[in-house]
Amino acid sequence: MNTTPYELAALAVAAVDGLEAVGVRGPYTRTADFQYGGVVDAKGRRWIVKYPLHSIAGTMIEAEAAIAPPLLTALRDGRLPFDVVRPAGFVQVKEGRAVTYVAPMGREHDFEDLTEADAHELGRALAAIHQLPVETIENAGLPSYDTQTSRRRLLADLHDADATSPLPGILRRRWENALEITDLWDFEPRVVHGDIGSDQFMWWDGSISCVLGFGSAHVGDPALDFASLVSVLDEHLFDALVESYSNAMGEEPTENFYNRVVLISELALARWMLFGARRGDAEIVDEARAMMDDLAAEVEADPDLAPGPTWSVSQATPAYADSADDAGFTTFDPDGLDYSDDVDHSDGLGYSDDVGSGDESLDESSAPSAS
């Protein structure tokens, strides 16, 4: 059931002391996890209300609330080149707490429309997140996973998905093989955002003005934050992103890093199916199964792909493959869906000064992912 724009506005009034709402403002968005609405107060300030649609989404709002103070500390210390969401108030709802915050400056920019300069900017933003001290996560009480725990979590999800609805055999063997390669999981755990998608970044004048949706943030595998990008960005843009990321980090990604990126992006299909099964959403399950069947057919047609996902280019020249297939990985993307590794927790609305007041536009979206 949808919560109306006026009901969302009422929640904002209840959540923030002294907020005098004078109107609602679109766009209004509903995802698999959250519903959003805009509110304008008597001083002309614009607010966003974020309403959880299930208990997992409610838990993510609590994680965002917990990490907000250390992120703001990092911002003040000059560690972040972009703003972050500042929760202003909460109110109890059925599935947890709804949060209200001042609408961030900027607007969304679809990753499929990025320029090379935008890709460089995104790479620098990811590096800034990955360079945050692990205390940012620890002080917020959020999870921290070492290399083997990261691997075991993916393996557990794979087995759970297979038990829920048997996976194509060629994919299950391909993924299990990769998850059992010890050297592949040799990485330095870093702070990761955990839910990279175009809806999590607000842009202003060519720069990222705000990063949203840190509800899946944790210490873990930095490859996770690239998994949704490898299937949605053209190769020259992905190369530009990695170039700026590498320059900011002061080190080149290893071949194992690239291989984990590809593996995680593919495993997102199984995790998406598992998410749908746990939600009792047959449409999500069927969608994920159809995509896995297509991917299985593609892998079966090329025996070289069967042993496991690989990025079979030299570490020094990943930018010069002519196509995804030439690079030795599969970027299967039917119907424009991207394979983000976590649930599509769309955390931002692209408010700008030219948004029409009072227009309601409901965009129901979902992406292959899981929490």
Side-chain angles (χ1 to χ4, degrees):
M1 184 178 70
N2 289 332
T3 303
T4 69
Y6 295 102
E7 289 171 331
L8 292 173
L11 292 176
V13 171
V16 181
D17 289 341
L19 192 157
E20 183 181 349
V22 297
V24 296
R25 185 168 187 174
Y28 307 104
T29 305
R30 181 186 174 97
T31 71
D33 306 296
F34 302 104
Q35 187 170 348
Y36 301 85
V39 181
V40 180
D41 70 14
K43 298 180 180 179
R45 290 177 299 186
R46 292 171 290 147
W47 303 79
I48 291 176
V49 183
K50 182 177 180 180
Y51 184 99
L53 297 176
H54 51 79
S55 59
I56 296 175
T59 300
M60 295 191 66
I61 285 181
E62 297 305 321
E64 291 172 12
I67 199 174
L71 285 178
L72 287 171
T73 297
L75 178 64
R76 297 188 190 100
D77 291 345
R79 294 181 178 272
L80 294 177
F82 47 75
D83 201 2
V84 293
V85 167
R86 305 156 189 252
F90 301 84
V91 63
Q92 193 70 35
V93 295
K94 180 180 179 181
E95 300 292 355
R97 293 195 299 171
V99 61
T100 300
Y101 52 91
V102 174
M105 183 182 73
R107 60 169 59 191
E108 292 177 22
H109 186 19
D110 195 299
F111 283 167
E112 293 184 354
D113 299 326
L114 295 185
T115 65
E116 187 169 329
D118 294 336
H120 283 300
E121 173 71 3
L122 182 58
R124 289 188 288 268
L126 291 180
I129 294 171
H130 291 182
Q131 288 175 315
L132 288 171
V134 296
E135 290 79 17
T136 307
I137 294 296
E138 295 171 351
N139 292 343
L142 299 184
S144 180
Y145 306 117
D146 61 21
T147 57
Q148 291 308 307
T149 303
S150 298
R151 181 186 66 84
R152 288 193 295 267
R153 291 180 72 235
L154 291 173
L155 188 60
D157 283 343
L158 175 59
H159 290 163
D160 287 349
D162 192 43
T164 299
S165 179
L167 304 174
I170 193 169
L171 293 185
R172 178 174 53 78
R173 291 189 298 272
R174 168 183 168 89
W175 295 337
E176 285 180 335
N177 288 342
L179 287 164
E180 294 298 338
I181 298 173
T182 303
D183 291 346
L184 186 63
W185 302 93
D186 181 16
F187 62 86
E188 179 183 351
R190 294 187 178 276
V191 174
V192 297
H193 181 279
D195 185 25
I196 296 298
S198 57
D199 55 316
Q200 308 290 26
F201 295 84
M202 307 297 285
W203 298 74
W204 184 262
D205 196 25
S207 298
I208 293 173
S209 55
C210 187
V211 177
L212 316 170
F214 279 87
S216 294
H218 60 275
V219 174
D221 187 354
L224 171 63
D225 281 346
F226 288 80
S228 63
L229 297 169
V230 72
S231 60
V232 73
L233 294 182
D234 288 340
E235 287 182 54
H236 78 284
L237 294 179
F238 190 82
D239 294 337
L241 179 146
V242 171
E243 179 185 13
S244 288
Y245 175 82
S246 302
N247 289 339
M249 297 294 293
E251 60 186 25
E252 292 289 334
T254 65
E255 182 178 343
N256 284 339
F257 170 86
Y258 288 117
N259 290 344
R260 293 197 314 276
V261 168
V262 177
L263 172 64
I264 294 170
S265 72
E266 292 185 5
L267 278 170
L269 294 175
R271 303 181 74 197
W272 180 239
M273 185 188 72
L274 183 61
F275 171 70
R278 289 171 173 171
R279 287 281 305 276
D281 191 323
E283 183 177 352
I284 289 178
V285 173
D286 291 344
E287 175 186 77
R289 285 212 62 87
M291 289 189 286
M292 282 190 288
D293 288 343
D294 287 343
L295 177 58
E298 186 175 339
V299 172
E300 194 167 15
D302 185 349
D304 291 338
L305 294 177
T310 58
W311 184 297
S312 56
V313 295
S314 69
Q315 180 180 336
T317 58
Y320 300 106
D322 291 332
S323 69
D325 291 335
D326 292 339
F329 64 90
T330 300
T331 54
F332 177 69
D333 186 23
D335 300 327
L337 294 169
D338 81 68
Y339 300 165
S340 59
D341 186 58
D342 286 79
V343 178
D344 177 24
H345 310 298
S346 300
D347 277 2
L349 296 176
Y351 285 105
S352 64
D353 290 337
D354 59 354
V355 173
S357 176
D359 288 335
E360 179 173 356
S361 123
L362 187 61
D363 175 21
E364 191 121 13
S365 63
S366 59
S369 54
S371 58

